[in-house]
Amino acid sequence: MPFLPATLLAGALDHLLRYSLTGCGQSGRHAAYLLDRLANQDGMGDELRGLCSRMSEALVDGAAPRTSA
């Protein structure tokens, strides 16, 4: 059963909020995954597709574990 774009967007925003409030890497990774799924949905406008793709990439880059030196 395919997910509706609104469901994916709601899930992505929920995880994005959790990530921004708590710094939880798992929430950041879930948000990135859902945003990537949105970017690849049929029928998405070019602007929204690009925004979802850029945000997903930013989360993946920022969600990498950091090691202390």
Side-chain angles (χ1 to χ4, degrees):
M1 173 177 181
F3 289 102
L4 297 174
T7 304
L8 290 174
L9 183 57
L13 290 174
D14 180 51
H15 284 291
L16 185 58
L17 179 61
R18 288 180 197 199
Y19 175 68
S20 68
L21 291 175
T22 67
C24 175
Q26 185 172 359
S27 289
R29 288 186 294 278
H30 283 304
Y33 170 76
L34 293 173
L35 288 164
D36 188 56
R37 292 270 313 264
L38 271 168
N40 291 303
Q41 285 279 310
D42 291 335
M44 295 293 284
D46 290 339
E47 289 182 23
L48 187 55
R49 181 184 311 276
L51 179 62
C52 289
S53 182
R54 288 190 309 274
M55 180 55 95
S56 176
E57 289 173 11
L59 284 167
V60 168
D61 291 343
R66 297 179 186 181
T67 57
S68 57

